[in-house]
Amino acid sequence: MSELNATAAALLGLLHDGPKTGGQLVAVARERFGAFFSVTRSQVYRELPALADAGLVRLGKQGPRSSQQYLITAAGKKAFKTWLASEPGPDHLRSPLILRLVHASNLTAKQRTALVDSARQAYNAELEEARNSVKSTDDTYAKAIGEFAVARARAALKLLDAVPKD
């Protein structure tokens, strides 16, 4: 593995905290990264064998129901630190909601209303969760990320307010 992709780097970063199974990595990623960086189950299970083949992780204990723990190796720690210190490049927003809104003219009025109502509910929940994360941490990085999450949720809600109601 010559250059880490962001998903591989995310997994190595999570493994810095200790051994985890693929399922645990998915859950921790969802908790730690929230809406900023999605890591799907299929991505995790595609990346782990590649990371193992590259010597960046190794197999740990076999868990219940054939779950397999992975541990980061010294080479994995080095590769992660190299990735972390490198130029991040441009951020790319991949929003299924915005993609649907771009094509909303192909939906019926009822479908558009359902889409907007569902998204509004999700972003209100995300806003509440982000506010709580800001309140519950003393870590300056986590607080800044939480404040960004608040601003992002507010921006999405503002977008939804601007969508025609017809």
Side-chain angles (χ1 to χ4, degrees):
M1 187 172 269
S2 58
E3 190 174 314
L4 291 180
N5 63 53
T7 302
L11 297 177
L12 290 175
L14 294 174
L15 288 169
H16 263 271
D17 298 336
K20 291 177 187 51
T21 65
Q24 290 170 328
L25 286 165
V26 171
V28 172
R30 194 170 290 134
E31 179 184 310
R32 178 137 351 134
F33 305 144
F36 302 113
F37 188 79
S38 64
V39 177
T40 65
R41 185 170 294 282
S42 64
Q43 289 172 314
V44 168
Y45 287 105
R46 182 177 57 241
E47 289 295 337
L48 286 171
L51 290 169
D53 288 346
L56 303 179
V57 300
R58 66 177 174 82
L59 299 179
K61 294 179 183 175
Q62 182 86 27
R65 297 180 311 278
S66 298
S67 64
Q68 179 66 61
Q69 278 191 339
Y70 289 84
L71 296 93
I72 192 168
T73 64
K77 288 179 181 181
K78 182 179 179 185
F80 176 70
K81 288 186 184 226
T82 299
W83 176 86
L84 198 56
S86 68
E87 178 63 34
D91 276 345
H92 298 284
L93 175 65
R94 290 181 54 94
S95 169
L97 170 64
I98 293 174
L99 184 59
R100 283 175 174 81
L101 291 174
V102 166
H103 298 287
S105 62
N106 294 304
L107 297 172
T108 66
K110 185 176 179 178
Q111 289 171 322
R112 282 192 298 273
T113 298
L115 173 64
V116 170
D117 289 349
S118 173
R120 188 180 314 283
Q121 184 177 0
Y123 276 108
N124 275 318
E126 191 175 302
L127 177 59
E128 185 64 26
E129 187 176 323
R131 285 177 175 154
N132 289 337
S133 75
V134 170
K135 289 178 191 173
S136 68
T137 186
D138 293 326
D139 180 274
T140 55
Y141 295 105
K143 191 174 284 294
I145 292 165
E147 288 169 354
F148 181 82
V150 167
R152 179 184 175 274
R154 284 183 179 151
L157 289 166
K158 185 175 180 179
L159 168 66
L160 294 169
D161 287 342
V163 172
K165 310 285 190 272
D166 63 311

